[in-house]
Amino acid sequence: MEESGSLPTGFGELEVLAVGTLLLVEALTGLSLNSLTILSFCKTPELRTPRHLLVLSLALADSGISLNALVAATSSLLRVSHRRWPYGSNGCQAHGFQGFVTALASICSSAAIAWGRYHHYCTRSQLAWNTALSVVLCVWLSSAFWAALPLLGWGHYDYEPLGTCCMLDYSRGDRNFTSFLFTLASFNFLAPLFITVTSYRLMEQKLRKAGRLQVNTTLPARTLLLGWGPYALLYLYAAIADVTSISPRLQMVPALIAKTVPTVNAINYGLGSGMVHRGIWQCLSPPRSQWDRTS
């Protein structure tokens, strides 16, 4: 796609502004909620446990997705007036890499949390710090590895149809793209999804037998499917057919859906967790000494 010139094919100024506004709302909401989760972890000693380290990893990844959406929102609004991607080709590659790293880290961190909850509820043993740190390190190193491959020639980053952000290019449909896609899907979508579904299903069976089902065992898997499934379907279609047959507007839908995942995850794992919720409330509440002075 050209970096300058007229508006992208199939989009008017009002549509570009609407997408930019939606991305801005998604970015600010995701950043706000996940920042509260991160702040509560840093300031609440009770949350500094190996199990909550996995939640912190997810919050960091989702904050990265929201930052990526914020850049996309800014470029959407600038594109109406400047008619170009404002950050150049190197900025496109950096934006694509950052977005891909955080997206993969978010998916894998969700699977890690599912495994951590299974370990906690079913084995009745505390997760060790060494294990949690190893899992988090593996998640981020693996995500960085896969995101770096398009920079090295296996896959390619390019502009999305609206030209407001960069992502893994699915429009080529060549053998290079197809091989990268199926390898990526196996390791970074199907495997985390399998771990998530299996962990929660085993945990649900265990807790039901004990008569103490305390966690939502279906929402995490649904979030993965509904949040990232449209992207997976789009890539799959691009691998077996001509993706240009899909309208540019429809091609933008998976990106807009995926940008809502940080908000859903923050509500599910942050606000939905009693301990994290109490930690957030403690961070937002003034110290007791201040209450004493005002009362």
Side-chain angles (χ1 to χ4, degrees):
M1 181 178 292
E2 297 289 338
E3 290 186 19
S4 60
S6 60
L7 289 172
T9 303
F11 295 95
E13 288 190 2
L14 185 60
E15 291 169 318
V16 175
L17 285 173
V19 171
T21 302
L22 180 58
L23 286 171
L24 184 62
V25 172
E26 291 176 333
L28 294 180
T29 304
L31 273 176
S32 300
L33 294 179
N34 284 285
S35 295
L36 286 175
T37 302
I38 296 171
L39 182 64
S40 65
F41 181 89
C42 295
K43 289 196 171 185
T44 308
E46 292 84 0
L47 293 179
R48 297 178 199 145
T49 64
R51 193 160 59 94
H52 286 101
L53 180 65
L54 304 179
V55 179
L56 176 65
S57 175
L58 178 64
L60 290 172
D62 286 340
S63 295
I65 295 175
S66 297
L67 284 173
N68 190 271
L70 186 60
V71 173
T74 304
S75 63
S76 297
L77 300 176
L78 289 176
R79 192 164 179 80
V80 175
S81 57
H82 295 279
R83 297 290 196 270
R84 64 182 179 85
W85 164 264
Y87 310 112
S89 58
N90 290 335
C92 176
Q93 298 301 304
H95 186 256
F97 173 78
Q98 186 270 344
F100 207 28
V101 168
T102 52
L104 294 178
S106 176
I107 294 172
C108 294
S109 292
S110 296
I113 291 174
W115 172 81
R117 287 185 171 182
Y118 164 78
H119 183 277
H120 174 76
Y121 286 105
C122 296
T123 66
R124 295 187 179 182
S125 60
Q126 294 295 327
L127 188 65
W129 273 107
N130 288 341
T131 303
L133 288 171
S134 298
V135 169
V136 171
L137 186 63
C138 181
V139 164
W140 284 93
L141 288 180
S142 173
S143 300
F145 169 77
W146 285 100
L149 291 179
L151 298 176
L152 301 176
W154 197 19
H156 181 71
Y157 291 121
D158 205 347
Y159 303 102
E160 282 188 329
L162 191 59
T164 59
C165 58
C166 293
M167 57 171 289
L168 186 66
D169 183 19
Y170 53 82
S171 62
R172 299 189 175 192
D174 55 17
R175 185 174 299 176
N176 180 300
F177 164 76
T178 303
S179 61
F180 178 74
L181 170 66
F182 283 106
T183 308
L184 175 73
S186 299
F187 284 94
N188 292 283
F189 182 72
L190 296 180
L193 181 62
F194 175 79
I195 292 172
T196 301
V197 172
T198 302
S199 297
Y200 279 110
R201 180 168 295 179
L202 292 174
M203 181 171 59
E204 181 179 12
Q205 293 174 356
K206 183 79 173 181
L207 294 178
R208 283 191 184 279
K209 288 181 180 179
R212 56 185 187 93
L213 185 60
Q214 301 171 339
V215 294
N216 191 326
T217 58
T218 59
L219 183 58
R222 289 177 180 175
T223 301
L224 280 179
L225 280 174
L226 296 178
W228 300 106
Y231 254 138
L233 290 175
L234 179 62
Y235 283 127
L236 177 62
Y237 184 85
I240 61 178
D242 183 11
V243 76
T244 58
S245 61
I246 302 177
S247 68
R249 293 188 185 91
L250 192 57
Q251 291 181 44
M252 285 300 301
V253 171
L256 296 176
I257 293 176
K259 297 299 189 296
T260 65
V261 171
T263 299
V264 176
N265 283 341
I267 294 173
N268 183 29
Y269 296 106
L271 299 178
S273 170
M275 185 173 291
V276 178
H277 186 271
R278 290 195 299 271
I280 292 174
W281 180 252
Q282 291 175 14
C283 293
L284 295 178
S285 302
R288 181 174 296 274
S289 58
Q290 185 173 342
W291 279 107
D292 295 338
R293 289 195 299 268
T294 56
S295 60

